[in-house]
């Protein structure tokens, strides 16, 4: 199972890298979304994918899955959610103000307003 | 158990929350944030004093035992850095009162400022690797907002690049923490260190060490990963630039120092060597940039990169003398970079341009500004009675003892480059024919000069009082050299 997940995460990272190297700003933001998906799945996988009950004490099971990675992922998800929404609004503002979403044209001369 | 060490995080946090409520009342915002910054300095000084007297202070949040809850740890290094951060924050804050402008102040400038300090102080104090990530994000989120606040074209453009780089490096941080968790099964830094020592050396730990170097190197701008910094730091107004230049990269440098001295101290030969090589290249890259530009802001920005290289070169030698030197240099560099950015901010405001070739002769009209800048430049270059000297001396000496002649030689040469680049500013802006600026009346030079002049005076005192400060710094270096002190303080067996 971990091997399967590793392949999936690898493909997510690959796609994310490819998208982030493209010219359009929106494709880059989609790439960051995929990158954080990959990172979150990686935390889950690295905490081992053994069979066990959901980490609720009411389940009365013999063994539970590791609760720590789930808490880490939850934290990382809201953080990346906040950053992504800020990034999207920034992209919108930049499109309004600068009139382009092409990264090549966002270069600008050094120190130029 | 000691609650004092969470105070430097809590005061700015609550100040920030309260300031959100009074967003339209600028006078009240200034008063509250001014008072809180001074109170923070007092508490952090008390904390540093306590750490010096009683050894490492730890605090288990909510009374959970050490490896299971989040532990905050204040050793000498982190309490000194928290103290320096508070002083720099206060200086930048008072400078902002006269320079940042009402339109920014009304849109939550002061609350975001406070949250940035929360992130930096938290990152210096935490003893948990994932909590470090969270404080990094607190710091970075505030820095995104401070960078873009105002919404000019250059700010929008550079913020996009800055966010993209930091999103990638944050994802890498999460990945690295996931790998480390799967190897050692814990997140508490002292516990990780103990587990790594038990498990002995394996290839995967070297990989994790290099991944940490990439992550923190992206934050701290080391050689192949510094490409984002010159553009991004160019965009914001002067007090924000001073905060970024003095604090943000240094958090990356601190994290490299902490992870390499705490986690990978017994066997990471390859990773340490890599760090040393990259540090040398960082100095060279920064030096080339500092010589190349005729732009006052760019010159100081490339000087940040040089300093990061010098500090990390000291860390990579890993004997107690070089680590002491690095800590000396780290604190000196934080103070003096903040002062220089604030001074450069005044110069740019007076001249109406950042181009050295279009300004000149300010010494006739503003002698105070000129001499402050001159002293600050000498301190930056490391002229003996001033603050930059002792740190570089220790680093260079231990570099020669360690037989890394190339590295030590380049550190020495870099001082020359630093002096040349900064004197280029001094000669260009202050000497020569006075070009009377058009808008002189509008710039309150005396009020603006107070904060950087105080920082420069502090740097001079830091240099003159080396003898007095030395035991404090060597105590900090001792904890870094003997991670057992840190581990025992946290895990209290």
């Amino acid at each position: 199972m971990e091997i399967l997940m590793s392949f999936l995460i690898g493909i997510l990272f690959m796609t994310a890298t490819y998208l982030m190297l493209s010219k359009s700003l929106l494709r880059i933001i989609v790439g960051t979304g995929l990158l954080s998906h990959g990172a979150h799945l990686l935390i889950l996988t690295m905490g081992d994918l053994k069979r066990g009950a959901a980490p609720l004490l009411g389940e009365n099971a013999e063994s539970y899955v590791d609760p720590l990675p789930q808490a880490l992922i939850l934290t990382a998800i809201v953080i990346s959610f906040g950053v992504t929404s800020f990034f999207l609004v920034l992209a919108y503002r930049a499109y309004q103000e600068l009139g382009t979403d092409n990264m090549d044209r966002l270069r600008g001369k050094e120190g130029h307003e | 158990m000691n609650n004092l060490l969470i105070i430097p995080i809590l005061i700015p946090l609550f100040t920030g929350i309260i300031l959100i409520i009074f967003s339209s009342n600028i006078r009240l915002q200034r008063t509250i944030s001014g008072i809180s910054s001074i109170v923070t300095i007092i508490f952090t000084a008390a904390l540093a004093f306590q750490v010096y007297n009683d050894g490492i202070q730890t605090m288990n949040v909510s009374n959970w035992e050490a490896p299971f809850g989040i532990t905050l740890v204040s050793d000498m290094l982190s309490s000194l850095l928290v103290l320096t951060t508070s002083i720099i924050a206060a200086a930048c804050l008072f400078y902002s009162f006269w320079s940042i402008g009402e339109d920014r102040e009304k849109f939550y400038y002061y609350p975001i400022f406070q949250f940035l300090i929360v992130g930096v102080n938290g990152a210096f104090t935490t003893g948990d690797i994932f909590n470090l990530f969270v404080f990094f994000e607190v710091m970075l989120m505030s820095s995104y907002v401070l960078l873009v606040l105002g919404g000019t074209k250059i700010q929008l453009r550079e913020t996009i690049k800055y966010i993209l780089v930091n999103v990638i490096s944050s994802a890498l941080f999460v990945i690295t923490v996931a790998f480390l968790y799967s190897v050692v099964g814990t997140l508490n830094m002292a516990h990780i260190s103990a587990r790594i020592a038990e498990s002995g050396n394996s290839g995967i730990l070297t990989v994790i060490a290099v991944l940490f170097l990439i992550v923190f190197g992206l934050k701290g701008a080391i050689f192949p990963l510094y490409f984002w910094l010159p553009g991004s730091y160019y965009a914001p107004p002067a007090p924000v630039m001073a905060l970024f230049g003095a604090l943000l990269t240094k958090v990356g440098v601190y994290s490299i120092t902490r992870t390499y001295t705490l986690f990978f101290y017994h066997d990471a030969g390859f990773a340490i060597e890599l760090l040393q090589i990259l540090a040398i290249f960082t100095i060279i890259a920064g030096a080339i940039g500092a010589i190349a530009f005729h732009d006052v802001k760019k010159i100081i920005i490339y000087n940040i990169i040089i300093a990061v290289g010098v500090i990390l070169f000291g860390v990579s030698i890993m004997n107690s003398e070089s680590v002491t030197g690095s800590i000396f240099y780290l604190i000196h560099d934080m103070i003096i970079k903040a002062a220089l950015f604030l001074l450069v901010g005044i110069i740019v405001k007076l001249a109406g341009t950042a181009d050295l070739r279009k300004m000149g002769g300010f010494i006739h009209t503003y002698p105070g500004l000129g001499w402050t800048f001159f002293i600050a430049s000498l301190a930056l270059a490391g002229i003996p009675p001033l603050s930059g000297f002792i740190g570089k001396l220790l680093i260079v000496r231990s570099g020669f003892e360690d037989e890394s002649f190339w590295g030590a030689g380049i550190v020495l040469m870099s001082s020359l480059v630093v002096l040349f680049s900064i004197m280029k500013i001094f000669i260009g802006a202050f000497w020569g024919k006075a070009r009377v600026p058009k808008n002189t009346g509008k710039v309150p030079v005396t009020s603006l000069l107070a904060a950087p002049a105080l920082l420069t005076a502090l740097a001079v005192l830091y240099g003159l009082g080396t003898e007095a400060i030395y035991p404090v710094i060597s105590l900090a270096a001792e904890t870094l050299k003997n991670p057992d002190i840190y581990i025992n303080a946290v895990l209290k067996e």
Side-chain angles (χ1 to χ4, degrees), chain B residues 37-368:
Chain B
S37 71
I38 288 169
V39 174
T40 316
I41 292 180
I42 296 170
F43 274 108
T44 47
L47 173 65
F49 192 69
Q50 197 175 32
V51 173
Y52 180 64
N53 280 330
D54 308 338
I56 297 178
Q57 302 291 311
T58 63
M59 175 193 172
N60 294 326
V61 179
S62 314
N63 258 341
W64 293 95
E65 287 284 318
F68 303 114
I70 288 174
T71 313
L72 299 179
V73 187
S74 214
D75 64 350
M76 202 63 236
L77 174 61
S78 51
S79 64
L80 277 177
L81 290 176
V82 168
L83 177 61
T84 318
T85 304
S86 314
I87 293 170
I88 289 166
C92 292
L93 187 75
F94 284 102
Y95 185 94
S96 307
F97 291 167
W98 289 281
S99 80
I100 199 76
E102 233 178 71
D103 42 346
R104 284 193 170 94
E105 284 177 305
K106 274 195 174 153
F107 285 95
Y108 305 97
Y109 174 76
Y110 295 117
I112 308 288
F113 188 103
Q114 298 292 337
F115 292 138
L116 184 83
I117 306 303
V118 173
V120 175
N121 280 351
F124 285 144
T125 317
T126 188
D128 183 284
I129 197 77
F130 197 76
N131 197 229
L132 179 66
F133 165 72
V134 174
F135 275 122
F136 259 117
E137 288 302 311
V138 172
M139 177 184 96
L140 290 173
M141 278 288 250
S142 329
S143 71
Y144 304 151
V145 181
L146 282 181
L147 189 58
V148 81
L149 192 67
T152 59
K153 282 184 179 172
I154 180 174
Q155 282 180 308
L156 287 168
R157 205 176 64 209
E158 294 305 331
T159 311
I160 288 175
K161 297 168 192 169
Y162 181 72
I163 291 192
L164 182 60
V165 168
N166 279 302
V167 165
I168 294 169
S169 82
S170 297
L172 263 178
F173 196 174
V174 169
I175 292 164
T176 313
V177 169
F179 283 144
L180 190 61
Y181 179 71
S182 78
V183 175
V184 296
T186 177
L187 293 168
N188 181 300
M189 277 151 72
H191 203 208
I192 291 173
S193 174
R195 287 263 175 95
I196 287 178
E198 280 165 24
S199 72
N201 49 22
S202 64
I204 189 77
L205 284 173
T206 310
V207 173
I208 292 172
V210 173
L211 273 172
F212 268 126
L213 186 60
I214 294 171
V215 170
F216 295 137
L218 262 169
K219 317 258 183 201
I222 64 171
F223 162 61
L225 307 169
Y226 70 94
F227 54 87
W228 56 272
L229 186 134
S232 302
Y233 280 21
Y234 196 89
V240 177
M241 201 159 65
L243 268 187
F244 284 14
L247 303 179
L248 296 195
T249 50
K250 304 305 181 296
V251 179
V253 172
Y254 164 80
S255 306
I256 290 177
T257 313
R258 182 62 83 197
T259 47
Y260 272 66
T261 52
L262 187 61
F263 296 172
F264 310 113
Y265 59 96
H266 20 72
D267 182 62
F270 163 60
I272 296 280
E273 240 168 67
L274 182 68
L275 177 64
Q276 188 159 15
I277 293 165
L278 290 184
I280 293 170
F281 275 109
T282 310
I283 300 173
I284 296 174
I288 291 171
I291 297 174
F293 284 93
H294 283 282
D295 183 309
V296 282
K297 291 201 256 178
K298 275 273 150 69
I299 292 173
I300 311 282
I301 286 170
Y302 277 101
N303 272 302
I304 300 178
I305 299 172
I306 299 179
V308 166
V310 171
I311 297 166
L312 287 180
F313 177 72
V315 171
S316 72
I317 296 172
M318 284 253 177
N319 62 36
S320 51
E321 195 183 16
S322 75
V323 175
T324 315
S326 284
I327 298 172
F328 257 115
Y329 202 76
L330 176 60
I331 293 170
H332 141 79
D333 190 64
M334 289 168 80
I335 297 171
I336 207 72
K337 281 287 146 56
L340 279 172
F341 271 119
L342 296 178
L343 289 168
V344 158
I346 303 177
I347 294 174
V348 171
K349 227 172 206 182
L350 281 175
T353 172
D355 194 337
L356 268 177
R357 289 164 293 196
K358 291 180 188 156
M359 57 175 84
F362 285 138
I363 197 80
H364 304 298
T365 26
Y366 304 102

Side-chain angles (χ1 to χ4, degrees), chain A residues 33-78:
Chain A
L34 289 179
L35 184 68
S36 55
H37 281 331
H40 300 155
L41 286 178
L42 186 73
I43 306 181
L44 195 70
T45 313
M46 284 294 144
D48 277 354
L49 296 172
K50 293 198 196 79
R51 284 189 174 276
L56 298 166
L57 289 179
E59 299 275 304
N60 287 325
E62 279 181 10
S63 71
Y64 295 93
V65 295
D66 190 351
L68 198 60
Q70 301 191 8
L72 301 188
I73 293 167
L74 193 60
T75 315
I77 285 174
V78 292

